[in-house]
Amino acid sequence: MIDVLVVDDDFRVAEINAKYVGKVPGFRVAARAHSAAQALAAVERAPIDLVLLDHYLPDQTGLALVHRMRERGHGTDVIMITAAGDVATVQAAMRLGALHYLVKPFTFAALRTRLDSYAALRRTVDRVGGRGVAGQEQVDRIFGALRTAPAASSPGLPRGRSEPTTDLICDVLHRAGRPLSAHDVATRTGLSRSTAQRYLRHLEQVGRLRLSLKYGDTGRPEHRYAWVAP
């Protein structure tokens, strides 16, 4: 398991981020912190593999915290999750060794993409590490493991449809564990049936969902949609 420290000054945001992490296989939340001091104490108290770090903290910036961690010999990996989108902060994060930089607001799919690439990086390093010395091919694999593809819900989204709504519908179907109708999805998401139907039709067309028909005694068959694991 990869132990994660979630750092955000907003308790509600930290809770949401922690729940997101808990949904990704192979990751678990080891601790939460709401200030730089709490985060540093957590890193020094127990082994932490990865820090999901906000930049705007009440006592110190996230980047200042990373600098202090490095000064104290902590090589803990960092993914920045922050509303700070200015180029100077992004560049500073890169220079301090942040592996990814996710700008708020973001979707679960966006975070999962970064976490999956981080897990791939660790697997790649583990495979290469046993050889002692890495050649260019192995080095390319290590750097390539960090590249992220667009979230699965992004490509080809028709105009007027949003990633958050797509993620919501996918999450409902994933959790259901069985085929659902457009009416079922609308009830569980709070969307209108017509809106749910449009998203479901698109997701089925791009291969994210599987369509089946349920025949009743009379009338047209009911369309049912089931989650297709990527």
Side-chain angles (χ1 to χ4, degrees), residues 75-97:
T76 310
D77 294 322
V78 174
I79 293 178
M80 298 297 295
I81 298 183
T82 176
D86 59 286
V87 175
T89 302
V90 174
Q91 287 180 322
M94 293 174 62
R95 290 173 183 140
L96 285 170

Side-chain angles (χ1 to χ4, degrees), residues 105-169:
F106 59 92
T107 64
F108 167 65
L111 177 59
R112 176 161 189 170
T113 299
R114 273 70 178 179
L115 293 179
D116 285 342
S117 75
Y118 175 71
L121 170 66
R122 289 174 61 95
R123 291 192 299 269
T124 303
V125 170
D126 287 344
R127 287 196 299 268
V128 175
R131 304 177 186 180
V133 178
Q136 187 61 54
E137 181 180 353
Q138 287 73 38
V139 172
D140 289 343
R141 287 179 184 173
I142 292 172
F143 277 85
L146 278 176
R147 296 182 188 137
T148 58
S153 59
S154 299
L157 261 186
R159 178 174 296 182
R161 293 177 194 156
S162 68
E163 285 189 29
T165 303
T166 301
D167 292 339
L168 175 63
I169 290 175

Side-chain angles (χ1 to χ4, degrees), residues 3-23:
D3 288 318
V4 180
L5 169 63
V6 176
V7 184
D8 199 291
D9 67 319
D10 188 317
F11 284 72
R12 183 181 59 85
V13 173
E15 175 69 18
I16 292 172
N17 291 350
K19 287 182 178 179
Y20 279 173
V21 171
K23 292 167 63 176

Side-chain angles (χ1 to χ4, degrees), residues 47-66:
I48 297 292
D49 298 308
L50 176 66
V51 179
L52 300 185
L53 181 60
D54 188 16
H55 182 57
Y56 298 122
L57 299 174
D59 53 345
Q60 199 174 39
T61 67
L63 294 185
L65 170 61
V66 176

